[in-house]
């Protein structure tokens, strides 16, 4: 039996996600009330354009442009407007007035997360953000709660659906990056500014949020190393396929042990990498997302599903809403996430990874020895060398895979190879993960 007073829910934004939140709140009103023990009453929906067309069944009578009245009169505020301002100001206003806040805004969390979390903690409110990373996939709550008693060592994810779609199309049908981007645009996968996706900004924001939770450490977005997918060619894709690999844009957050590297810290980075097709992340196709977590006691875990979409994202928001509403009914302050570890975020040149360098070498005696010597002189250990014919050219196509090396050592190798008469062209330098 429902005894608690109705909880007043304010919705900021009625776009792809907000419209679906409004629909689910309306359609599932009775069931949600039964689960929470209180009615969830949608009291207003903030938009910019009151005259804009809304989906059929949308509760247009709740539309408003009066942010102050809506926010100050709510128990729980859902922010699905996106962008930094005025979303930041509205969330701070809501928290300071004692409301819990639910947001899907990864850009805001990655840039102003500390300010928002600190404010929530000071006033005893709670900030929920399950939808901010990989939309429908439950990954925030597992890191925040389920794995809270374990030691997470690495989080490696495909957290940007549009770039995974683009890379998958290039892999499957050998089409160009531009052609795959046109398809992704037509399917509505890319952000309005596609550089956010293809240059890795969106994935970097999500990586910062995942690292914050996994390692109890603040990760300023400018310390996330970021490379996009614009250098990936059909030729690179084909070579990866020939070797049993696939290229994925990975967001990696890793705990770096002091005994191996001299200083304990975390590394947070986004770049395209080769991974074996047999790796669980290698089989993530289309616009799907997946996050692969390694923890000391739990071992390897994989979270997979839809990383975007209005209804899918709304599912994660409704999950947060039920949690927030139950907490209101039960009483008690919000629980802040701990950043007690506060590990340093290490720069990319301190990180050890494996690389594959593809080059065209002059096909003459002694060339292989010259190339091997360049790696040895820079203390980069070769793990494998594959040679393929280069039809119509007087060169040999070489793939050189390395053992773990630092970025600095690898850069020195690349510079020396470029200067060597043994090498005609360096075709690509790409990292290998998951092997
Ligand atoms: P949309 O652009 O579709 O919708 C934004 C909504 O916010 C619109 O209704 C808009 O009003 C309103 N709005 C924007 N600025 C203002 C403002 N200054 N004042 C009042 N209202 C404003 O965005 P999405 O629904 O796609 O995304 C919302 C959030 O969810 C973003 O943070 C995004 O990163 C996140 N997200 C989205 C996913 C997706 O698949 N779409 C997946 C995961 C997260 P109006 O309608 O009048 O223009
Ligand atoms: N542009 C994002 C993506 C949307 O492609 O994954 C979801 O955050």
């Amino acid at each position: 039996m429902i005894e608690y007073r109705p909880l007043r829910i304010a919705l900021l934004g009625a776009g792809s996600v907000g419209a679906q939140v409004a629909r689910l709140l309306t359609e599932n009103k009775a069931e949600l009330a039964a689960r929470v023990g209180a009615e969830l009453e949608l009291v207003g929906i903030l938009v910019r354009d009151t005259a804009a067309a809304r989906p059929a069944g949308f509760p247009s009578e709740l539309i408003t442009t009066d942010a102050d009245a809506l926010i100050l009169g709510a128990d729980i505020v859902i922010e699905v407007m996106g962008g930094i301002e005025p979303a930041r100001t509205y969330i701070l206003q809501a928290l300071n007035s004692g409301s819990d806040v639910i947001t899907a805004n990864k850009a805001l969390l990655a840039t102003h997360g500390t300010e928002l979390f600190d404010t929530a903690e000071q006033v005893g409110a709670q900030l929920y953000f399950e939808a901010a990373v990989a939309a429908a996939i439950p990954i925030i709550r597992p890191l925040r709660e389920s794995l809270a008693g374990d030691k997470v060592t690495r989080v490696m994810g495909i957290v940007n659906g549009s770039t995974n779609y683009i890379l998958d199309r290039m892999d499957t049908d050998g089409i160009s990056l531009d052609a795959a981007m046109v398809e992704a645009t037509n399917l509505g996968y890319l952000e309005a500014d596609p550089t956010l996706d293809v240059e890795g900004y969106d994935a970097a924001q999500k990586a910062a949020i995942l690292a914050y939770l996994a390692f109890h450490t603040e990760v300023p977005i400018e310390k996330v190393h970021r490379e996009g997918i614009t250098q990936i060619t059909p030729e690179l894709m084909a070579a990866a396929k020939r070797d049993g690999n696939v290229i994925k844009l990975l967001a990696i957050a890793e705990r770096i042990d002091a005994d191996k590297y001299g200083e304990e810290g975390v590394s947070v980075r986004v770049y395209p990498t080769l991974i074996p097709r047999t790796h669980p992340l290698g089989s993530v196709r289309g616009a799907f997302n997946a996050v692969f977590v390694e923890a000391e006691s739990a071992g390897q875990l994989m979270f997979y599903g839809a990383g975007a979409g209005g209804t899918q994202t709304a599912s994660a928001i409704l999950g947060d809403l039920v949690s927030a509403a139950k907490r209101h009914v039960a009483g008690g302050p919000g629980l802040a996430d701990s950043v007690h570890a506060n590990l340093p975020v290490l720069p990319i040149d301190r990180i050890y990874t494996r690389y594959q360098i593809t080059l065209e070498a002059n096909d003459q005696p002694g060339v292989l020895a010259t190339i091997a010597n360049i790696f040895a002189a820079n203390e980069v250990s070769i793990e494998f060398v594959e040679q393929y014919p280069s039809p119509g050219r007087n060169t040999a196509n070489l793939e050189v895979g390395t053992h773990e090396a630092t970025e600095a050592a690898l850069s020195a190798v690349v510079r020396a190879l470029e200067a060597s008469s043994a090498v005609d062209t360096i075709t690509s330098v790409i990292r290998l993960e998951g092997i």
Side-chain angles (χ1 to χ4, degrees):
M1 197 172 87
I2 296 165
E3 291 176 349
Y4 200 81
R5 68 174 172 84
L7 290 170
R8 297 168 61 80
I9 314 300
L11 182 59
L12 312 184
S16 309
V17 179
Q20 296 310 314
V21 172
R23 179 180 66 78
L24 293 173
L25 265 174
T26 311
E27 284 178 9
N28 302 333
K29 196 173 171 61
E31 175 65 24
L32 289 168
R35 287 183 196 176
V36 168
E39 260 183 44
L40 302 180
E41 188 189 348
L42 184 56
V43 291
I45 305 174
L46 186 76
V47 297
R48 265 179 310 214
D49 179 2
T50 53
R54 306 288 166 191
F58 183 83
S60 297
E61 68 283 3
L62 295 178
I63 278 182
T64 178
T65 54
D66 187 346
D68 288 348
L70 180 60
I71 292 167
L72 295 176
D75 297 302
I76 299 171
V77 174
I78 301 172
E79 184 276 308
V80 280
M81 295 163 44
I84 305 302
E85 287 293 356
R88 171 184 157 274
T89 300
Y90 292 165
I91 290 178
L92 288 172
Q93 191 180 10
L95 292 170
N96 280 318
S97 69
S99 299
D100 285 339
V101 173
I102 296 157
T103 181
N105 195 333
K106 63 242 166 181
L108 180 61
L109 290 172
T111 50
H112 293 81
T114 305
E115 180 188 27
L116 301 179
F117 292 123
D118 285 353
T119 304
E121 187 174 12
Q122 279 158 20
V123 301
Q126 180 121 17
L127 185 58
Y128 298 82
F129 51 99
E130 183 62 71
V133 181
I137 305 175
I139 183 62
I140 300 300
R141 203 165 270 108
L143 286 174
R144 201 179 205 178
E145 295 174 16
S146 320
L147 291 166
D150 207 332
K151 182 176 176 186
V152 175
T153 50
R154 194 148 84 132
V155 181
M156 191 158 80
I158 295 169
V159 292
N160 182 270
S162 44
T163 48
N164 200 55
Y165 176 85
I166 291 167
L167 294 173
D168 187 37
R169 291 289 296 122
M170 293 175 74
D171 176 65
T172 308
D173 281 337
I175 64 174
S176 69
L177 183 104
D178 287 347
M181 271 184 75
V182 169
E183 285 188 14
T185 306
N186 291 340
L187 288 163
Y189 289 157
L190 286 160
E191 302 275 339
D193 174 5
T195 55
L196 293 175
D197 295 307
V198 296
E199 295 293 358
Y201 290 99
D202 174 81
Q205 290 163 355
K206 293 166 179 169
I209 297 169
L210 291 174
Y212 159 78
L213 288 171
F215 306 126
H216 313 286
T217 289
E218 280 170 28
V219 179
I221 188 68
E222 57 277 9
K223 292 198 174 177
V224 179
H225 177 83
R226 176 193 53 77
E227 295 169 34
I229 62 165
T230 50
Q231 304 302 316
I232 304 301
T233 60
E235 292 73 29
L236 257 177
M237 276 289 178
K241 204 172 195 172
R242 180 187 61 199
D243 299 341
N245 295 323
V246 61
I247 298 173
K248 296 288 186 192
L249 183 70
L250 294 186
I252 302 169
E254 192 174 24
R255 183 188 289 268
I256 307 293
D257 287 339
D259 51 354
K260 186 172 176 191
Y261 298 93
E263 185 189 3
E264 195 180 17
V266 298
S267 162
V268 192
R269 50 197 201 265
V270 169
Y271 44 57
T273 74
L274 290 167
I275 54 169
R277 298 184 96 81
T278 50
H279 189 282
L281 290 174
S283 57
V284 178
R285 306 281 312 275
F288 279 92
N289 282 194
V291 185
F292 190 74
V293 178
E294 293 171 60
E296 253 178 26
S297 304
Q300 298 182 331
L301 308 164
M302 170 105 151
F303 302 83
Y304 171 86
T311 312
Q312 293 85 344
T313 310
S315 161
I317 297 218
L318 267 283
D320 279 350
L321 179 60
V322 168
S323 296
K326 279 182 163 175
R327 206 177 62 70
H328 264 270
V329 172
L335 298 173
D337 295 302
S338 164
V339 287
H340 64 274
N342 219 10
L343 295 164
V345 184
L346 302 177
I348 189 75
D349 58 9
R350 290 276 314 280
I351 305 309
Y352 283 74
T353 44
R354 299 174 61 217
Y355 297 86
Q356 182 170 305
I357 302 177
T358 309
L359 52 87
E360 292 294 325
N362 297 320
D363 204 358
Q364 288 161 5
V367 158
L368 213 48
T370 305
I371 290 172
N373 278 334
I374 289 175
F375 281 81
N378 290 286
E379 298 190 357
V380 176
S381 174
I382 292 175
E383 189 186 354
F384 65 84
V385 179
E386 303 273 0
Q387 179 170 331
Y388 299 92
S390 285
R393 300 184 63 164
N394 197 19
T395 55
N397 178 249
L398 284 185
E399 279 177 13
V400 185
T402 74
H403 287 289
E404 285 194 336
T406 61
E407 187 91 2
L410 199 273
S411 299
V413 166
V414 172
R415 278 195 302 275
L417 288 172
E418 279 168 348
S420 169
S421 58
V423 176
D424 182 77
T425 328
I426 297 180
T427 321
S428 69
V429 180
I430 188 162
R431 297 174 182 84
L432 291 115
E433 296 279 353
I435 297 174

